[in-house]
Short mmCIF file of all heavy atoms in Angstrom, two decimals:
data_model
loop_
_atom_site.label_atom_id
_atom_site.label_comp_id
_atom_site.label_asym_id
_atom_site.label_seq_id
_atom_site.Cartn_x
_atom_site.Cartn_y
_atom_site.Cartn_z
N THR A 1 -64.42 -106.83 -23.10
CA THR A 1 -64.84 -107.11 -21.73
C THR A 1 -64.30 -106.03 -20.80
O THR A 1 -63.23 -105.47 -21.04
CB THR A 1 -64.34 -108.49 -21.25
OG1 THR A 1 -64.76 -108.71 -19.89
CG2 THR A 1 -62.83 -108.58 -21.29
N THR A 2 -65.05 -105.76 -19.73
CA THR A 2 -64.59 -104.80 -18.73
C THR A 2 -63.73 -105.46 -17.67
O THR A 2 -63.16 -104.77 -16.82
CB THR A 2 -65.79 -104.12 -18.04
OG1 THR A 2 -66.63 -105.14 -17.46
CG2 THR A 2 -66.61 -103.31 -19.03
N PHE A 3 -63.61 -106.80 -17.71
CA PHE A 3 -62.77 -107.52 -16.75
C PHE A 3 -61.32 -107.46 -17.22
O PHE A 3 -60.93 -108.19 -18.14
CB PHE A 3 -63.25 -108.96 -16.60
CG PHE A 3 -64.52 -109.11 -15.80
CD1 PHE A 3 -65.73 -108.61 -16.27
CD2 PHE A 3 -64.51 -109.74 -14.56
CE1 PHE A 3 -66.90 -108.74 -15.54
CE2 PHE A 3 -65.68 -109.88 -13.81
CZ PHE A 3 -66.88 -109.38 -14.31
N LYS A 4 -60.54 -106.59 -16.60
CA LYS A 4 -59.19 -106.30 -17.09
C LYS A 4 -58.29 -107.52 -17.12
O LYS A 4 -57.57 -107.75 -18.11
CB LYS A 4 -58.55 -105.20 -16.22
CG LYS A 4 -57.17 -104.77 -16.69
CD LYS A 4 -56.61 -103.64 -15.82
CE LYS A 4 -55.22 -103.23 -16.30
NZ LYS A 4 -54.66 -102.15 -15.44
N GLU A 5 -58.29 -108.31 -16.05
CA GLU A 5 -57.36 -109.44 -15.98
C GLU A 5 -57.66 -110.47 -17.07
O GLU A 5 -56.73 -110.97 -17.72
CB GLU A 5 -57.42 -110.10 -14.60
CG GLU A 5 -56.79 -109.25 -13.50
CD GLU A 5 -56.72 -109.99 -12.17
OE1 GLU A 5 -57.09 -111.18 -12.13
OE2 GLU A 5 -56.30 -109.36 -11.18
N THR A 6 -58.92 -110.79 -17.25
CA THR A 6 -59.24 -111.77 -18.29
C THR A 6 -59.03 -111.18 -19.67
O THR A 6 -58.69 -111.89 -20.62
CB THR A 6 -60.67 -112.32 -18.14
OG1 THR A 6 -60.82 -113.45 -19.01
CG2 THR A 6 -61.72 -111.28 -18.50
N ARG A 7 -59.23 -109.87 -19.82
CA ARG A 7 -58.96 -109.22 -21.11
C ARG A 7 -57.49 -109.36 -21.49
O ARG A 7 -57.15 -109.69 -22.63
CB ARG A 7 -59.34 -107.74 -21.03
CG ARG A 7 -59.21 -107.00 -22.37
CD ARG A 7 -59.80 -105.61 -22.28
NE ARG A 7 -59.01 -104.69 -21.50
CZ ARG A 7 -59.44 -104.04 -20.42
NH1 ARG A 7 -60.66 -104.23 -19.98
NH2 ARG A 7 -58.65 -103.20 -19.79
N GLU A 8 -56.62 -109.17 -20.52
CA GLU A 8 -55.18 -109.29 -20.79
C GLU A 8 -54.79 -110.73 -21.10
O GLU A 8 -53.94 -110.99 -21.95
CB GLU A 8 -54.38 -108.77 -19.59
CG GLU A 8 -54.53 -107.27 -19.36
CD GLU A 8 -53.90 -106.81 -18.06
OE1 GLU A 8 -53.56 -107.68 -17.21
OE2 GLU A 8 -53.73 -105.58 -17.89
N ALA A 9 -55.46 -111.69 -20.41
CA ALA A 9 -55.10 -113.10 -20.57
C ALA A 9 -55.71 -113.73 -21.82
O ALA A 9 -55.26 -114.80 -22.25
CB ALA A 9 -55.54 -113.89 -19.34
N THR A 10 -56.71 -113.08 -22.40
CA THR A 10 -57.42 -113.67 -23.53
C THR A 10 -57.31 -112.82 -24.79
O THR A 10 -56.60 -113.17 -25.74
CB THR A 10 -58.90 -113.89 -23.19
OG1 THR A 10 -59.49 -112.64 -22.78
CG2 THR A 10 -59.04 -114.90 -22.06
N ILE A 11 -57.98 -111.68 -24.79
CA ILE A 11 -57.99 -110.82 -25.98
C ILE A 11 -56.60 -110.29 -26.29
O ILE A 11 -56.09 -110.43 -27.41
CB ILE A 11 -58.99 -109.66 -25.80
CG1 ILE A 11 -60.41 -110.20 -25.65
CG2 ILE A 11 -58.90 -108.69 -26.96
CD1 ILE A 11 -61.44 -109.16 -25.27
N ASP A 12 -55.96 -109.68 -25.29
CA ASP A 12 -54.62 -109.13 -25.52
C ASP A 12 -53.63 -110.21 -25.89
O ASP A 12 -52.77 -110.02 -26.77
CB ASP A 12 -54.14 -108.37 -24.28
CG ASP A 12 -54.94 -107.10 -24.00
OD1 ASP A 12 -55.74 -106.70 -24.88
OD2 ASP A 12 -54.78 -106.52 -22.91
N ALA A 13 -53.73 -111.37 -25.23
CA ALA A 13 -52.81 -112.46 -25.53
C ALA A 13 -52.99 -112.95 -26.96
O ALA A 13 -52.00 -113.28 -27.65
CB ALA A 13 -53.03 -113.62 -24.55
N THR A 14 -54.22 -112.99 -27.44
CA THR A 14 -54.48 -113.43 -28.81
C THR A 14 -53.99 -112.40 -29.82
O THR A 14 -53.39 -112.76 -30.84
CB THR A 14 -55.97 -113.71 -29.00
OG1 THR A 14 -56.41 -114.66 -28.02
CG2 THR A 14 -56.24 -114.29 -30.39
N VAL A 15 -54.24 -111.14 -29.54
CA VAL A 15 -53.74 -110.08 -30.43
C VAL A 15 -52.22 -110.11 -30.48
O VAL A 15 -51.61 -109.97 -31.56
CB VAL A 15 -54.25 -108.70 -29.97
CG1 VAL A 15 -53.57 -107.58 -30.77
CG2 VAL A 15 -55.75 -108.62 -30.13
N ASN A 16 -51.58 -110.33 -29.34
CA ASN A 16 -50.12 -110.41 -29.32
C ASN A 16 -49.62 -111.61 -30.12
O ASN A 16 -48.57 -111.54 -30.77
CB ASN A 16 -49.61 -110.50 -27.88
CG ASN A 16 -49.76 -109.18 -27.13
OD1 ASN A 16 -49.81 -108.11 -27.75
ND2 ASN A 16 -49.82 -109.23 -25.81
N ALA A 17 -50.37 -112.71 -30.10
CA ALA A 17 -49.99 -113.89 -30.89
C ALA A 17 -50.12 -113.60 -32.38
O ALA A 17 -49.28 -114.05 -33.19
CB ALA A 17 -50.85 -115.08 -30.50
N ILE A 18 -51.15 -112.85 -32.76
CA ILE A 18 -51.31 -112.46 -34.16
C ILE A 18 -50.18 -111.52 -34.58
O ILE A 18 -49.63 -111.64 -35.68
CB ILE A 18 -52.69 -111.79 -34.37
CG1 ILE A 18 -53.80 -112.83 -34.17
CG2 ILE A 18 -52.79 -111.16 -35.76
CD1 ILE A 18 -55.21 -112.24 -34.15
N LYS A 19 -49.80 -110.60 -33.69
CA LYS A 19 -48.67 -109.71 -33.98
C LYS A 19 -47.38 -110.50 -34.16
O LYS A 19 -46.59 -110.23 -35.08
CB LYS A 19 -48.51 -108.69 -32.85
CG LYS A 19 -49.60 -107.63 -32.79
CD LYS A 19 -49.35 -106.68 -31.62
CE LYS A 19 -50.40 -105.58 -31.57
NZ LYS A 19 -50.19 -104.66 -30.41
N ALA A 20 -47.15 -111.47 -33.28
CA ALA A 20 -45.92 -112.27 -33.36
C ALA A 20 -45.86 -113.06 -34.66
O ALA A 20 -44.77 -113.27 -35.21
CB ALA A 20 -45.85 -113.21 -32.16
N ALA A 21 -47.02 -113.49 -35.15
CA ALA A 21 -47.05 -114.26 -36.40
C ALA A 21 -46.89 -113.37 -37.63
O ALA A 21 -46.58 -113.86 -38.71
CB ALA A 21 -48.36 -115.04 -36.49
N ASN A 22 -47.10 -112.07 -37.44
CA ASN A 22 -47.03 -111.12 -38.56
C ASN A 22 -46.25 -109.88 -38.14
O ASN A 22 -46.81 -108.77 -38.06
CB ASN A 22 -48.44 -110.74 -39.02
CG ASN A 22 -49.25 -111.94 -39.45
OD1 ASN A 22 -49.09 -112.43 -40.56
ND2 ASN A 22 -50.12 -112.43 -38.58
N PRO A 23 -44.96 -110.05 -37.86
CA PRO A 23 -44.17 -108.94 -37.29
C PRO A 23 -44.00 -107.74 -38.21
O PRO A 23 -43.69 -106.64 -37.73
CB PRO A 23 -42.82 -109.61 -36.99
CG PRO A 23 -42.75 -110.77 -37.94
CD PRO A 23 -44.15 -111.26 -38.06
N ASN A 24 -44.21 -107.92 -39.49
CA ASN A 24 -44.02 -106.82 -40.44
C ASN A 24 -45.32 -106.15 -40.86
O ASN A 24 -45.32 -105.34 -41.79
CB ASN A 24 -43.28 -107.33 -41.68
CG ASN A 24 -41.90 -107.88 -41.35
OD1 ASN A 24 -41.17 -107.28 -40.55
ND2 ASN A 24 -41.54 -109.00 -41.93
N THR A 25 -46.41 -106.50 -40.18
CA THR A 25 -47.71 -105.93 -40.52
C THR A 25 -48.31 -105.26 -39.28
O THR A 25 -48.28 -105.82 -38.19
CB THR A 25 -48.68 -107.03 -41.01
OG1 THR A 25 -48.09 -107.71 -42.12
CG2 THR A 25 -50.02 -106.44 -41.42
N LYS A 26 -48.84 -104.06 -39.48
CA LYS A 26 -49.48 -103.35 -38.37
C LYS A 26 -50.73 -104.11 -37.94
O LYS A 26 -51.55 -104.52 -38.78
CB LYS A 26 -49.84 -101.93 -38.78
CG LYS A 26 -50.47 -101.09 -37.65
CD LYS A 26 -50.79 -99.70 -38.12
CE LYS A 26 -51.41 -98.83 -37.01
NZ LYS A 26 -50.47 -98.60 -35.90
N VAL A 27 -50.90 -104.29 -36.63
CA VAL A 27 -52.07 -104.98 -36.08
C VAL A 27 -52.73 -104.05 -35.07
O VAL A 27 -52.07 -103.57 -34.14
CB VAL A 27 -51.69 -106.32 -35.41
CG1 VAL A 27 -52.92 -106.98 -34.81
CG2 VAL A 27 -51.00 -107.25 -36.41
N VAL A 28 -54.01 -103.78 -35.24
CA VAL A 28 -54.74 -102.92 -34.31
C VAL A 28 -55.98 -103.66 -33.81
O VAL A 28 -56.52 -104.54 -34.48
CB VAL A 28 -55.15 -101.58 -34.97
CG1 VAL A 28 -53.92 -100.78 -35.35
CG2 VAL A 28 -56.02 -101.83 -36.19
N LEU A 29 -56.43 -103.30 -32.61
CA LEU A 29 -57.59 -103.92 -31.98
C LEU A 29 -58.74 -102.94 -31.87
O LEU A 29 -58.54 -101.77 -31.55
CB LEU A 29 -57.20 -104.42 -30.57
CG LEU A 29 -58.32 -104.93 -29.67
CD1 LEU A 29 -58.92 -106.22 -30.23
CD2 LEU A 29 -57.79 -105.15 -28.25
N ALA A 30 -59.95 -103.43 -32.12
CA ALA A 30 -61.15 -102.63 -31.93
C ALA A 30 -62.20 -103.48 -31.23
O ALA A 30 -62.24 -104.70 -31.39
CB ALA A 30 -61.69 -102.16 -33.28
N PHE A 31 -63.03 -102.83 -30.42
CA PHE A 31 -64.13 -103.52 -29.74
C PHE A 31 -65.45 -103.15 -30.42
O PHE A 31 -65.65 -102.01 -30.83
CB PHE A 31 -64.20 -103.13 -28.27
CG PHE A 31 -63.16 -103.79 -27.40
CD1 PHE A 31 -63.07 -103.47 -26.05
CD2 PHE A 31 -62.29 -104.76 -27.91
CE1 PHE A 31 -62.13 -104.09 -25.23
CE2 PHE A 31 -61.34 -105.37 -27.10
CZ PHE A 31 -61.27 -105.03 -25.76
N THR A 32 -66.33 -104.13 -30.51
CA THR A 32 -67.63 -103.87 -31.12
C THR A 32 -68.69 -103.45 -30.10
O THR A 32 -69.73 -102.94 -30.48
CB THR A 32 -68.13 -105.12 -31.88
OG1 THR A 32 -68.15 -106.25 -31.01
CG2 THR A 32 -67.22 -105.42 -33.07
N SER A 33 -68.44 -103.67 -28.81
CA SER A 33 -69.39 -103.23 -27.78
C SER A 33 -69.10 -101.79 -27.40
O SER A 33 -68.10 -101.50 -26.73
CB SER A 33 -69.31 -104.11 -26.54
OG SER A 33 -70.11 -103.57 -25.50
N HIS A 34 -69.97 -100.90 -27.79
CA HIS A 34 -69.78 -99.48 -27.47
C HIS A 34 -69.92 -99.23 -25.97
O HIS A 34 -69.27 -98.34 -25.42
CB HIS A 34 -70.78 -98.65 -28.26
CG HIS A 34 -70.57 -98.69 -29.74
ND1 HIS A 34 -70.83 -97.63 -30.57
CD2 HIS A 34 -70.12 -99.68 -30.54
CE1 HIS A 34 -70.55 -97.95 -31.82
NE2 HIS A 34 -70.12 -99.20 -31.82
N ILE A 35 -70.77 -100.02 -25.31
CA ILE A 35 -70.93 -99.88 -23.86
C ILE A 35 -69.64 -100.24 -23.14
O ILE A 35 -69.19 -99.52 -22.22
CB ILE A 35 -72.10 -100.76 -23.36
CG1 ILE A 35 -73.42 -100.26 -23.93
CG2 ILE A 35 -72.14 -100.78 -21.83
CD1 ILE A 35 -74.61 -101.15 -23.61
N ILE A 36 -69.02 -101.33 -23.54
CA ILE A 36 -67.76 -101.75 -22.92
C ILE A 36 -66.67 -100.71 -23.18
O ILE A 36 -65.89 -100.38 -22.28
CB ILE A 36 -67.35 -103.14 -23.42
CG1 ILE A 36 -68.26 -104.20 -22.78
CG2 ILE A 36 -65.88 -103.43 -23.12
CD1 ILE A 36 -68.02 -105.61 -23.28
N ILE A 37 -66.63 -100.19 -24.39
CA ILE A 37 -65.65 -99.14 -24.71
C ILE A 37 -65.80 -97.96 -23.76
O ILE A 37 -64.81 -97.45 -23.21
CB ILE A 37 -65.81 -98.69 -26.18
CG1 ILE A 37 -65.33 -99.78 -27.13
CG2 ILE A 37 -65.03 -97.39 -26.43
CD1 ILE A 37 -65.63 -99.50 -28.59
N ASP A 38 -67.04 -97.52 -23.56
CA ASP A 38 -67.29 -96.36 -22.70
C ASP A 38 -66.90 -96.66 -21.25
O ASP A 38 -66.33 -95.81 -20.55
CB ASP A 38 -68.76 -95.96 -22.77
CG ASP A 38 -69.15 -95.36 -24.12
OD1 ASP A 38 -68.23 -94.96 -24.86
OD2 ASP A 38 -70.36 -95.32 -24.44
N ARG A 39 -67.22 -97.87 -20.77
CA ARG A 39 -66.90 -98.22 -19.38
C ARG A 39 -65.40 -98.33 -19.16
O ARG A 39 -64.89 -97.91 -18.11
CB ARG A 39 -67.60 -99.52 -19.01
CG ARG A 39 -69.12 -99.38 -18.88
CD ARG A 39 -69.79 -100.69 -18.55
NE ARG A 39 -71.24 -100.53 -18.42
CZ ARG A 39 -72.10 -101.52 -18.25
NH1 ARG A 39 -71.64 -102.78 -18.18
NH2 ARG A 39 -73.39 -101.30 -18.14
N ILE A 40 -64.68 -98.89 -20.11
CA ILE A 40 -63.24 -99.01 -19.98
C ILE A 40 -62.59 -97.62 -19.97
O ILE A 40 -61.68 -97.34 -19.18
CB ILE A 40 -62.65 -99.87 -21.12
CG1 ILE A 40 -63.07 -101.33 -20.94
CG2 ILE A 40 -61.13 -99.75 -21.16
CD1 ILE A 40 -62.65 -102.24 -22.07
N LYS A 41 -63.10 -96.73 -20.81
CA LYS A 41 -62.56 -95.37 -20.83
C LYS A 41 -62.80 -94.67 -19.50
O LYS A 41 -61.92 -93.99 -18.96
CB LYS A 41 -63.19 -94.58 -21.98
CG LYS A 41 -62.63 -93.17 -22.12
CD LYS A 41 -63.21 -92.47 -23.34
CE LYS A 41 -62.63 -91.07 -23.49
NZ LYS A 41 -63.17 -90.36 -24.69
N ALA A 42 -64.01 -94.86 -18.95
CA ALA A 42 -64.36 -94.20 -17.69
C ALA A 42 -63.59 -94.78 -16.52
O ALA A 42 -63.14 -94.05 -15.62
CB ALA A 42 -65.86 -94.32 -17.44
N ASN A 43 -63.40 -96.09 -16.51
CA ASN A 43 -62.79 -96.75 -15.35
C ASN A 43 -61.27 -96.88 -15.43
O ASN A 43 -60.59 -96.90 -14.41
CB ASN A 43 -63.40 -98.15 -15.17
CG ASN A 43 -64.87 -98.10 -14.85
OD1 ASN A 43 -65.36 -97.15 -14.24
ND2 ASN A 43 -65.61 -99.12 -15.27
N GLU A 44 -60.75 -96.96 -16.66
CA GLU A 44 -59.31 -97.20 -16.82
C GLU A 44 -58.59 -96.09 -17.57
O GLU A 44 -57.36 -96.07 -17.63
CB GLU A 44 -59.07 -98.53 -17.55
CG GLU A 44 -59.66 -99.76 -16.86
CD GLU A 44 -59.41 -101.02 -17.65
OE1 GLU A 44 -58.32 -101.14 -18.26
OE2 GLU A 44 -60.30 -101.90 -17.68
N GLY A 45 -59.36 -95.20 -18.18
CA GLY A 45 -58.74 -94.15 -18.99
C GLY A 45 -58.14 -94.67 -20.28
O GLY A 45 -57.30 -94.01 -20.90
N LEU A 46 -58.58 -95.85 -20.70
CA LEU A 46 -58.05 -96.50 -21.89
C LEU A 46 -59.00 -96.29 -23.06
O LEU A 46 -60.20 -96.57 -22.96
CB LEU A 46 -57.85 -97.99 -21.63
CG LEU A 46 -57.26 -98.84 -22.76
CD1 LEU A 46 -55.85 -98.38 -23.10
CD2 LEU A 46 -57.26 -100.32 -22.35
#
């Protein structure tokens, strides 16, 4: 999602919960929407 606040409260929070449950395993996030990826890079530099 391009909505930063809800992204942090939902997607990031869930990924962090998965990391906390698996502290010894690398956890990475990927987005399937290429449009959202491009917009986030353009607007947030992320």
Side-chain angles (χ1 to χ4, degrees):
T1 179
T2 57
F3 285 67
K4 183 178 180 181
E5 289 186 4
T6 191
R7 185 172 72 239
E8 293 172 346
T10 56
I11 297 172
D12 292 349
T14 305
V15 172
N16 288 336
I18 293 171
K19 289 179 178 179
N22 301 280
N24 299 318
T25 304
K26 182 179 181 65
V27 178
V28 296
L29 172 66
F31 283 177
T32 55
S33 172
H34 295 213
I35 294 174
I36 286 176
I37 289 172
D38 291 342
R39 289 178 179 174
I40 291 175
K41 183 175 181 180
N43 296 330
E44 301 179 36
L46 181 63

